[in-house]
Amino acid sequence: MLFRSVVAYWATICAMEHPLRKFRKSQPVKVTLDALGRRVGASKSFLSKIEKGKKTPSLALAVKISEATNGVVRPNDFLAPGSGATNETAS
């Protein structure tokens, strides 16, 4: 049973789309990784790895990406699940 729940959990995680990719796909004019990379000073390859969850950007790059997406993608979107951080603002 535990094995099935772990498999189901990872299947759910793998099916989730990164907010950066969601942003790029949702734009009326497609935003390519190459164009975004030129804007934020990162390679297309590195941005692709971020979208796939294989790399985490520095705080400075996360802020640049947030600015380039007009705040749609927030720096907190790059934090690993279970890190204790949330996407909510403090009240």
Side-chain angles (χ1 to χ4, degrees):
M1 290 292 189
L2 177 62
F3 176 74
R4 286 186 183 165
S5 62
V6 170
V7 170
Y9 171 77
W10 279 110
T12 302
I13 294 296
C14 292
M16 292 179 6
E17 196 170 40
H18 194 279
L20 180 57
R21 186 168 177 84
K22 283 183 188 177
F23 167 80
R24 290 191 320 103
K25 286 183 162 183
S26 71
Q27 299 306 296
V29 175
K30 294 290 181 191
V31 178
T32 65
L33 287 173
D34 193 42
L36 181 62
R38 283 193 305 269
R39 222 169 148 194
V40 300
S43 71
K44 173 182 169 181
S45 173
F46 190 71
L47 291 174
S48 175
K49 288 175 185 174
I50 290 170
E51 282 187 351
K52 292 176 183 175
K54 295 180 179 181
K55 294 286 184 180
T56 303
S58 66
L59 178 57
L61 180 56
V63 169
K64 287 180 183 179
I65 293 170
S66 181
E67 290 169 352
T69 62
N70 293 320
V72 173
V73 180
R74 299 174 299 179
N76 284 358
D77 291 330
F78 299 103
L79 296 176
S83 65
T86 65
N87 285 337
E88 299 174 12
T89 56
S91 51

